[in-house]
Amino acid sequence: MKNKIKLRVISILTIIAFMGCEDVFEPQIDNRRNTEDLFSDPVLAEGILLGVYNSIPAPLLDLSSVATDDAVTNDLNNNFLRMATGEWSAIFNPIGSFNNSFDKINRINYFLSFVDEVQWTSEDEERNELFKKRFKGEAYALRTIYNFDILKKHGGIATNGEILGQPISDEYINIDNDYKLSRSSYDEVYQFIIDDCTLAESLLVDEYSINNPSSVNSAQYKNRISGNIVRALKARYALHAASPSFNNGNSNINRMQDAAIYAAEALDVIGGLAGLDNGGTKFYDSNDDQNRAEILWRLDPINNRTLEKNNYPPSLFGNGDVNPTQNLVDAFPDSNGFPLNQSTTYDIQNPYENRDPRLKNYIIYDGANFAGTTIHTDNDDPNNIDGLNNSQFSTRTGYYLKKMLRPDVNLNPNILNTQRHFNVLIRYTELFLIYAEAANEAWGPDTPAPGVSYTARDVISAIRNRAGINDLYLSTITSRENMRNLIRNERRLELCFEGFRFWDIRRWGLTLNETAKGVNISNNIHSEIEVEIRDYEDFMKYGPIPFNEVLKNENMLQNINW
C-alpha cells in the first residue's frame, strides 16, 4: 500500500506567487482566484505546471564538485566545503531537498487532479484532448524528476537495516491527511518512478518539431519534456538504482540491462553512435550552443556574467572560486590514452604536454592562455595575484576552472559585458556513458545490448577519439573490471563540474575521503601539496533524512548513523 506524507496546504494564490509569474492571471477585485477559475482559465492552470518546471534544479555550474576529489573552493564559507570537512549532519545538509521536492510533487498531484476538467482550447475538442494528453505526460515526467531527487539524496540503509526510499505520494495531500507514515522501500519508490516514466512516454511525442502537424506538439515547445527526454531520464534513474550502493555492494544486472536499453532507445533518435557530436566536448562557449547536437534538453538562455565573475582568475577580475584539484588533473591520461602511471611520455616537470586535449579545454593550469591572457599560477612572483594562495581570490590548488565559462565575457570595469549561457539538463554524452557503463556490467566490454549495433568499447573509443586522443591504450583493456575503471574515469572527465561526481562516488561505493591535492610551482619545479583533508564517514554514501522530519514522525526511520 502506498504511503502518503503530509505536505503543507498551498492556496492557489500561494502557488502562483511561488512561480514568480506576475502575468499568469488578471486579479479579481479581491486579488484572489479560486479553484473553479482553473477550469475556465487555461493560462492559470498551466501556470501551476510551469511553476514546477521553473523549480527544476539547473545551476550553470554545480558546486557539489568542491565536496569531492575533483575540486576545492577558495570561499571558506561555502556550505559544500563545510560539509566535506566534517559539518555534514541531518540538521546541516547542503544537498538535501526533502521538503522542497515533496512540495513540487504535491503541486504536480494537484495539477493532475484537475487537468481533465480544464477547457484548454475552445477551437475543437480533438485539440483540447491533445493538450490534456501532453500536459498529463509532462506532469508524470516531472513527478519522476522530483521523486528521483529525493531518492538519490535521501534513500539508503535505514536503522532497521533495510534500504529505504521515501513515502510515495500519488495524490494531492491536504492538512487532513495522516502524515505519520513510514518510508517505502527503495525498490518500491524506484518502480513507482519507472511506472510514471512509462505513463509519460505513452502520452508524449518523441520530439517537438516543426514537422509535427499539430501545433500542440510543435517546435515552440522544444524545451518542454518530450518522450525522448523521458527515455533519457529513465536511463539515468535505472543506472543509479543498479549501482552497488543500493544492491548490497554489487551491480544489479537486470537494472543495468534496462539502463543500457533505455539509453540506446534515447540515442536511436540521433542515429546511435553515429550521432555523437564532434564538438560535444565544448557545448557551452558560444551563442550557437543552443542548437548544438550534443544537447538533448536545456532551459531557455540567460544573459549574464555571474559564472565568470565567480570563477575567472583574479587577474581577469574574477573571484577564482572553484579550483580543480591535482587529483582531477592526474585523471586526464596522456595523449595516447594511457593513465599517467603507465605512460612513457608523461614528464612530471613538464606535466601539461602530451596530454589528453580535454585537460586544456576544462582546466586553466600554469602557463595556459585564457581569454587572451597567459595565466601564471606559480609562486615565483609574490605580486602575481593568480599565484598559489597569493591573494583572497587566488587558487588554493594551482588551477582555475575553465569548463562552463565563456572566454568572451570581459569583467574589466571599463568594458563589462555579458554573454548567453544555457542551463543544460541532459546532453547526449551522458547517455552514451550510461550505455557504456550499463552494457559493460550486463554483457561485458564487447557484447552490445540486444538490438544495438555498438558495444561499451565502441562508445568509449568514439568519445576518446572525439577528444583528440590517439588511443593506443584501449586495446589493452580486455576485462570487465578494467573496462569499468576506464568508463568511470571517462565519466569523471567528460561530466566534470556538471553535478555527477558527488553522486557517482557514492553510488559506486568508493572512498569519500580522498585528500584534495594541488601543485606548488617554484623555479619550474612542480611539487604536489595537500590542500584539504576530507572528513566523511563511510555511512555518508547515503544522505540523511532531515532531522525535523524524524523528530515529528516516529515512523520516519533515519538512515544509519545519522
Side-chain angles (χ1 to χ4, degrees):
M1 179 177 180
K2 293 185 176 71
N3 297 316
K4 303 293 187 284
I5 64 163
K6 176 186 177 184
L7 300 172
R8 67 173 181 260
V9 178
I10 305 169
S11 69
I12 300 299
L13 182 60
T14 305
I15 291 173
I16 300 302
F18 266 83
M19 293 172 189
C21 299
E22 296 178 357
D23 58 346
V24 167
F25 60 87
E26 290 295 327
Q28 294 179 353
I29 294 174
D30 64 356
N31 201 35
R32 296 179 64 86
R33 302 298 292 269
N34 57 42
T35 305
E36 287 71 24
D37 292 327
L38 292 168
F39 304 150
S40 60
D41 190 339
V43 175
L44 175 64
E46 188 182 2
I48 294 175
L49 191 66
L50 293 176
V52 177
Y53 265 110
N54 290 341
S55 298
I56 293 174
L60 287 170
L61 175 68
D62 192 299
L63 291 178
S64 65
S65 60
V66 304
T68 75
D69 51 357
D70 275 359
V72 301
T73 175
N74 64 17
D75 176 4
L76 301 185
N77 294 314
N78 182 283
N79 284 341
F80 287 107
L81 183 153
R82 293 173 58 195
M83 182 179 74
T85 54
E87 292 189 52
W88 195 10
S89 72
I91 297 174
F92 177 74
N93 184 13
I95 56 94
S97 60
F98 198 86
N99 292 320
N100 180 66
S101 288
F102 269 126
D103 174 54
K104 302 307 177 294
I105 291 167
N106 205 37
R107 297 179 190 219
I108 293 166
N109 290 340
Y110 181 63
F111 179 83
L112 287 168
S113 73
F114 67 73
V115 61
D116 285 327
E117 306 301 320
V118 178
Q119 186 66 34
W120 293 104
T121 178
S122 59
E123 293 181 17
D124 61 75
E125 188 56 31
E126 181 180 358
R127 194 160 180 263
N128 192 56
E129 290 300 315
L130 286 173
F131 270 118
K132 289 181 185 179
K133 185 177 179 181
R134 197 194 87 201
F135 288 146
K136 283 191 283 188
E138 290 178 80
Y140 286 124
L142 285 165
R143 193 163 70 181
T144 74
I145 290 173
Y146 289 101
N147 266 313
F148 178 70
D149 189 59
I150 300 170
L151 189 64
K152 178 177 73 171
K153 294 176 178 178
H154 302 282
I157 298 177
T159 51
N160 65 355
E162 298 177 10
I163 302 178
L164 300 182
Q166 66 265 19
I168 295 172
S169 177
D170 60 357
E171 61 184 35
Y172 179 58
I173 307 299
N174 62 42
I175 200 168
D176 296 325
N177 291 94
D178 178 21
Y179 67 91
K180 291 191 173 183
L181 298 169
S182 305
R183 296 165 63 186
S184 299
S185 73
Y186 185 96
D187 289 345
E188 287 172 335
V189 177
Y190 170 70
Q191 190 57 53
F192 181 76
I193 291 170
I194 294 300
D195 289 346
D196 265 0
C197 285
T198 302
L199 273 172
E201 195 175 349
S202 71
L203 294 166
L204 296 167
V205 295
D206 285 347
E207 294 181 294
Y208 300 110
S209 168
I210 57 174
N211 298 319
N212 197 302
S214 170
S215 60
V216 175
N217 294 305
S218 65
Q220 66 178 309
Y221 300 111
K222 64 181 179 180
N223 292 338
R224 305 278 283 264
I225 298 176
S226 65
N228 204 44
I229 288 171
V230 174
R231 284 188 281 274
L233 290 170
K234 194 160 55 167
R236 181 186 286 178
Y237 303 156
L239 183 71
H240 194 274
S243 299
S245 290
F246 306 102
N247 297 280
N248 299 312
N250 298 298
S251 295
N252 183 314
I253 298 304
N254 289 333
R255 287 179 182 166
M256 284 294 182
Q257 292 174 348
D258 289 343
I261 291 168
Y262 298 153
E265 289 173 348
L267 292 167
D268 283 345
V269 171
I270 60 169
L273 196 55
L276 182 69
D277 181 12
N278 288 331
T281 57
K282 297 178 72 175
F283 58 92
Y284 49 82
D285 66 346
S286 79
N287 289 339
D288 295 332
D289 288 332
Q290 64 176 325
N291 298 315
R292 175 145 254 145
E294 170 67 7
I295 298 173
L296 171 57
W297 188 23
R298 64 167 177 81
L299 301 183
D300 290 330
I302 55 176
N303 282 280
N304 64 22
R305 53 178 173 267
T306 303
L307 200 61
E308 288 72 27
K309 178 60 182 174
N310 289 343
N311 293 286
Y312 268 16
S315 65
L316 296 176
F317 305 96
N319 294 339
D321 189 356
V322 175
N323 306 152
T325 58
Q326 188 67 47
N327 314 54
L328 177 59
V329 170
D330 288 348
F332 289 87
D334 71 12
S335 56
N336 293 321
F338 284 90
L340 299 190
N341 61 3
Q342 299 181 41
S343 174
T344 60
T345 61
Y346 174 66
D347 179 359
I348 195 171
Q349 296 305 331
N350 194 17
Y352 312 122
E353 297 297 318
N354 301 313
R355 296 292 295 276
D356 178 343
R358 289 173 296 188
L359 174 60
K360 181 179 180 179
N361 288 340
Y362 294 163
I363 295 174
I364 299 172
Y365 47 76
D366 183 60
N369 185 279
F370 181 71
T373 301
T374 300
I375 306 298
H376 293 285
T377 65
D378 60 74
N379 262 343
D380 293 337
D381 180 2
N383 296 315
N384 171 25
I385 60 174
D386 291 337
L388 182 73
N389 295 321
N390 274 357
S391 72
Q392 177 186 357
F393 301 122
S394 296
T395 175
R396 297 172 60 204
T397 62
Y399 301 102
Y400 292 97
L401 180 69
K402 186 175 183 180
K403 187 179 182 183
M404 312 305 290
L405 304 184
R406 292 284 303 259
D408 47 356
V409 168
N410 195 321
L411 298 177
N412 186 318
N414 297 317
I415 301 174
L416 279 182
N417 69 336
T418 62
Q419 294 292 349
R420 300 175 79 184
H421 296 78
F422 304 93
N423 290 82
V424 178
L425 299 175
I426 304 175
R427 61 189 186 100
Y428 282 106
T429 294
E430 180 198 349
L431 290 176
F432 281 114
L433 288 166
I434 289 173
Y435 176 84
E437 181 178 346
N440 181 62
E441 296 299 327
W443 300 287
D446 296 305
T447 301
V452 180
S453 62
Y454 48 91
T455 66
R457 185 188 303 275
D458 293 335
V459 169
I460 297 305
S461 176
I463 287 174
R464 284 158 67 92
N465 286 338
R466 176 182 72 176
I469 294 173
N470 178 30
D471 205 348
L472 304 179
Y473 176 67
L474 185 59
S475 63
T476 70
I477 299 294
T478 57
S479 70
R480 176 186 275 110
E481 181 179 3
N482 288 340
M483 181 61 78
R484 176 189 302 137
N485 293 334
L486 179 58
I487 291 169
R488 287 179 176 181
N489 196 66
E490 282 300 307
R491 185 175 172 93
R492 180 182 188 179
L493 302 183
E494 281 284 340
L495 304 180
C496 63
F497 307 111
E498 296 179 51
F500 292 95
R501 182 66 176 170
F502 185 85
W503 308 106
D504 284 346
I505 291 172
R506 285 157 174 76
R507 70 180 177 87
W508 291 329
L510 303 182
T511 180
L512 309 175
N513 281 325
E514 289 286 342
T515 297
K517 298 177 180 179
V519 62
N520 178 59
I521 305 171
S522 181
N523 296 319
N524 291 322
I525 302 298
H526 293 68
S527 303
E528 187 175 273
I529 58 173
E530 290 190 355
V531 176
E532 192 170 283
I533 296 174
R534 298 294 162 75
D535 188 10
Y536 292 109
E537 302 287 347
D538 288 343
F539 66 82
M540 290 179 175
K541 64 184 175 184
Y542 311 115
I545 301 297
F547 176 75
N548 286 340
E549 293 299 317
V550 177
L551 188 65
K552 69 187 180 185
N553 177 6
E554 64 271 18
N555 296 322
M556 182 72 73
L557 296 182
Q558 182 58 277
N559 288 334
I560 53 171
N561 296 319
W562 285 102

